[in-house]
Amino acid sequence: SDADFTPSLVWVKRRNAAERHKLYDILRGTDGTRFKHLESDGSDAEGSGESGITAFVAGGYTSEGGGHINSDGQPFVSWMWNAGTSTASNTDGSGTSSVQVRANTTAGFSIVTYTGGSSSPANSDSGDSFGHGLGAAPDLVICKKRSGTNSWPVYHRAAPTGALILDNTNANDSSSFLFAKKDPTSTEVFLGNNPEINNSSHNYVAYCFAPVDGFSFFGEFSGNGSSDGSFVYTGFKPAFLLVKSVGARNWILFDSTRDSFNLVDEY
């Protein structure tokens, strides 16, 4: 891999086969040899014990040969983010516990691990929250229960009263009680009482993104059904583009490395 920073989150996918998407981050730690993985196209619990990333280093990461992210002679793609250099406890939220945050406020990205704490009735807007450490309200939050087979709830500012699910094609769900139907603030992300995002004594991870000029942009647009499609102004040339209809359609992911010039059609 070849980045100009030491990554804190790495997302890897084999390009020529139906292998799973693998996500590794520095907060969830290792099994003693390799970093634990999650799979963004499935609901499996956090895994270990298979070949994977062994270290995050300046410029990228090191990995074991073979397996799901380093098979000999096979093409892969990896997307990487920098959440800074230190991890700290955070008490900005309420109800949740053991909140650890690694935040890069310059780039508007943080990784959060927390233990759910809701004692409210299931499927309610419980009001529990966790601190995200960004100093600005995130526009995108991706969560995953680490200790069970639950899906990936996604908050996006364009759908503040519901949630999208990263591992399936579902339409925006406004009745799920995932994000308490409340926008994040500059300090907290609010959770409903749903086991996929806030269950007592269960462990979770959240990837939080706040908009920063030149780093990231989060918006919405209406399709026009034309080959000359809608224009979305971001203020910079994106390197990574993730798109989802609020209806029941697939997630689509483009980047500027697999397709370094227009037209961009590798997805």
Side-chain angles (χ1 to χ4, degrees), residues 34-46:
R34 60 195 66 81
F35 282 87
K36 299 173 184 178
H37 68 267
L38 289 165
E39 297 171 337
S40 63
D41 54 335
S43 60
D44 292 354
E46 181 177 79

PDB file of all heavy atoms in Angstrom, residues 34-46:
ATOM      1  N   ARG A  34      -2.736 -10.334  14.332  1.00  0.00           N
ATOM      2  CA  ARG A  34      -3.317  -9.532  13.251  1.00  0.00           C
ATOM      3  C   ARG A  34      -4.494  -8.721  13.798  1.00  0.00           C
ATOM      4  O   ARG A  34      -5.107  -9.098  14.813  1.00  0.00           O
ATOM      5  CB  ARG A  34      -3.778 -10.440  12.115  1.00  0.00           C
ATOM      6  CG  ARG A  34      -4.809 -11.432  12.563  1.00  0.00           C
ATOM      7  CD  ARG A  34      -5.031 -12.563  11.599  1.00  0.00           C
ATOM      8  NE  ARG A  34      -3.878 -13.419  11.464  1.00  0.00           N
ATOM      9  CZ  ARG A  34      -3.569 -14.398  12.351  1.00  0.00           C
ATOM     10  NH1 ARG A  34      -4.300 -14.566  13.436  1.00  0.00           N
ATOM     11  NH2 ARG A  34      -2.522 -15.167  12.155  1.00  0.00           N
ATOM     12  N   PHE A  35      -4.807  -7.615  13.122  1.00  0.00           N
ATOM     13  CA  PHE A  35      -5.926  -6.792  13.549  1.00  0.00           C
ATOM     14  C   PHE A  35      -7.259  -7.486  13.248  1.00  0.00           C
ATOM     15  O   PHE A  35      -7.393  -8.168  12.226  1.00  0.00           O
ATOM     16  CB  PHE A  35      -5.866  -5.414  12.878  1.00  0.00           C
ATOM     17  CG  PHE A  35      -4.862  -4.495  13.511  1.00  0.00           C
ATOM     18  CD1 PHE A  35      -3.541  -4.501  13.115  1.00  0.00           C
ATOM     19  CD2 PHE A  35      -5.244  -3.650  14.536  1.00  0.00           C
ATOM     20  CE1 PHE A  35      -2.609  -3.680  13.719  1.00  0.00           C
ATOM     21  CE2 PHE A  35      -4.324  -2.819  15.161  1.00  0.00           C
ATOM     22  CZ  PHE A  35      -2.995  -2.836  14.752  1.00  0.00           C
ATOM     23  N   LYS A  36      -8.203  -7.306  14.148  1.00  0.00           N
ATOM     24  CA  LYS A  36      -9.525  -7.911  13.998  1.00  0.00           C
ATOM     25  C   LYS A  36     -10.274  -7.243  12.849  1.00  0.00           C
ATOM     26  O   LYS A  36     -10.139  -6.047  12.623  1.00  0.00           O
ATOM     27  CB  LYS A  36     -10.311  -7.764  15.302  1.00  0.00           C
ATOM     28  CG  LYS A  36      -9.651  -8.465  16.478  1.00  0.00           C
ATOM     29  CD  LYS A  36     -10.378  -8.156  17.774  1.00  0.00           C
ATOM     30  CE  LYS A  36      -9.662  -8.771  18.959  1.00  0.00           C
ATOM     31  NZ  LYS A  36     -10.330  -8.432  20.254  1.00  0.00           N
ATOM     32  N   HIS A  37     -11.068  -8.013  12.145  1.00  0.00           N
ATOM     33  CA  HIS A  37     -11.759  -7.483  10.974  1.00  0.00           C
ATOM     34  C   HIS A  37     -13.267  -7.476  11.171  1.00  0.00           C
ATOM     35  O   HIS A  37     -13.825  -8.215  11.970  1.00  0.00           O
ATOM     36  CB  HIS A  37     -11.411  -8.299   9.719  1.00  0.00           C
ATOM     37  CG  HIS A  37     -11.962  -9.698   9.749  1.00  0.00           C
ATOM     38  ND1 HIS A  37     -11.235 -10.775  10.233  1.00  0.00           N
ATOM     39  CD2 HIS A  37     -13.158 -10.199   9.372  1.00  0.00           C
ATOM     40  CE1 HIS A  37     -11.968 -11.869  10.149  1.00  0.00           C
ATOM     41  NE2 HIS A  37     -13.145 -11.557   9.640  1.00  0.00           N
ATOM     42  N   LEU A  38     -13.917  -6.590  10.417  1.00  0.00           N
ATOM     43  CA  LEU A  38     -15.357  -6.608  10.218  1.00  0.00           C
ATOM     44  C   LEU A  38     -15.615  -6.642   8.718  1.00  0.00           C
ATOM     45  O   LEU A  38     -14.738  -6.270   7.928  1.00  0.00           O
ATOM     46  CB  LEU A  38     -16.004  -5.366  10.834  1.00  0.00           C
ATOM     47  CG  LEU A  38     -16.044  -5.308  12.363  1.00  0.00           C
ATOM     48  CD1 LEU A  38     -16.373  -3.891  12.840  1.00  0.00           C
ATOM     49  CD2 LEU A  38     -17.071  -6.296  12.919  1.00  0.00           C
ATOM     50  N   GLU A  39     -16.793  -7.067   8.319  1.00  0.00           N
ATOM     51  CA  GLU A  39     -17.120  -7.198   6.902  1.00  0.00           C
ATOM     52  C   GLU A  39     -18.338  -6.330   6.594  1.00  0.00           C
ATOM     53  O   GLU A  39     -19.439  -6.600   7.079  1.00  0.00           O
ATOM     54  CB  GLU A  39     -17.386  -8.667   6.566  1.00  0.00           C
ATOM     55  CG  GLU A  39     -16.144  -9.529   6.783  1.00  0.00           C
ATOM     56  CD  GLU A  39     -16.404 -11.021   6.680  1.00  0.00           C
ATOM     57  OE1 GLU A  39     -17.567 -11.438   6.879  1.00  0.00           O
ATOM     58  OE2 GLU A  39     -15.438 -11.764   6.411  1.00  0.00           O
ATOM     59  N   SER A  40     -18.124  -5.298   5.777  1.00  0.00           N
ATOM     60  CA  SER A  40     -19.177  -4.303   5.555  1.00  0.00           C
ATOM     61  C   SER A  40     -20.304  -4.809   4.668  1.00  0.00           C
ATOM     62  O   SER A  40     -21.352  -4.160   4.584  1.00  0.00           O
ATOM     63  CB  SER A  40     -18.573  -3.034   4.934  1.00  0.00           C
ATOM     64  OG  SER A  40     -18.012  -3.317   3.675  1.00  0.00           O
ATOM     65  N   ASP A  41     -20.114  -5.948   4.005  1.00  0.00           N
ATOM     66  CA  ASP A  41     -21.187  -6.510   3.183  1.00  0.00           C
ATOM     67  C   ASP A  41     -21.872  -7.677   3.892  1.00  0.00           C
ATOM     68  O   ASP A  41     -22.539  -8.492   3.263  1.00  0.00           O
ATOM     69  CB  ASP A  41     -20.657  -6.949   1.827  1.00  0.00           C
ATOM     70  CG  ASP A  41     -19.477  -7.913   1.926  1.00  0.00           C
ATOM     71  OD1 ASP A  41     -18.766  -7.887   2.951  1.00  0.00           O
ATOM     72  OD2 ASP A  41     -19.262  -8.700   0.981  1.00  0.00           O
ATOM     73  N   GLY A  42     -21.737  -7.743   5.220  1.00  0.00           N
ATOM     74  CA  GLY A  42     -22.380  -8.798   5.987  1.00  0.00           C
ATOM     75  C   GLY A  42     -22.596  -8.368   7.426  1.00  0.00           C
ATOM     76  O   GLY A  42     -22.072  -7.349   7.877  1.00  0.00           O
ATOM     77  N   SER A  43     -23.345  -9.165   8.157  1.00  0.00           N
ATOM     78  CA  SER A  43     -23.720  -8.820   9.531  1.00  0.00           C
ATOM     79  C   SER A  43     -22.899  -9.577  10.571  1.00  0.00           C
ATOM     80  O   SER A  43     -23.205  -9.509  11.763  1.00  0.00           O
ATOM     81  CB  SER A  43     -25.211  -9.103   9.741  1.00  0.00           C
ATOM     82  OG  SER A  43     -25.499 -10.477   9.508  1.00  0.00           O
ATOM     83  N   ASP A  44     -21.869 -10.302  10.158  1.00  0.00           N
ATOM     84  CA  ASP A  44     -21.097 -11.119  11.083  1.00  0.00           C
ATOM     85  C   ASP A  44     -20.475 -10.291  12.199  1.00  0.00           C
ATOM     86  O   ASP A  44     -20.142  -9.113  12.017  1.00  0.00           O
ATOM     87  CB  ASP A  44     -19.975 -11.852  10.345  1.00  0.00           C
ATOM     88  CG  ASP A  44     -20.501 -12.913   9.392  1.00  0.00           C
ATOM     89  OD1 ASP A  44     -21.720 -13.154   9.392  1.00  0.00           O
ATOM     90  OD2 ASP A  44     -19.694 -13.491   8.642  1.00  0.00           O
ATOM     91  N   ALA A  45     -20.273 -10.932  13.338  1.00  0.00           N
ATOM     92  CA  ALA A  45     -19.559 -10.303  14.441  1.00  0.00           C
ATOM     93  C   ALA A  45     -18.095 -10.102  14.060  1.00  0.00           C
ATOM     94  O   ALA A  45     -17.594 -10.660  13.069  1.00  0.00           O
ATOM     95  CB  ALA A  45     -19.663 -11.167  15.691  1.00  0.00           C
ATOM     96  N   GLU A  46     -17.411  -9.302  14.853  1.00  0.00           N
ATOM     97  CA  GLU A  46     -15.977  -9.059  14.680  1.00  0.00           C
ATOM     98  C   GLU A  46     -15.228 -10.388  14.633  1.00  0.00           C
ATOM     99  O   GLU A  46     -15.501 -11.297  15.429  1.00  0.00           O
ATOM    100  CB  GLU A  46     -15.505  -8.221  15.858  1.00  0.00           C
ATOM    101  CG  GLU A  46     -14.059  -7.834  15.861  1.00  0.00           C
ATOM    102  CD  GLU A  46     -13.772  -6.937  17.055  1.00  0.00           C
ATOM    103  OE1 GLU A  46     -13.633  -7.456  18.180  1.00  0.00           O
ATOM    104  OE2 GLU A  46     -13.734  -5.701  16.862  1.00  0.00           O
TER     105      GLU A  46
END
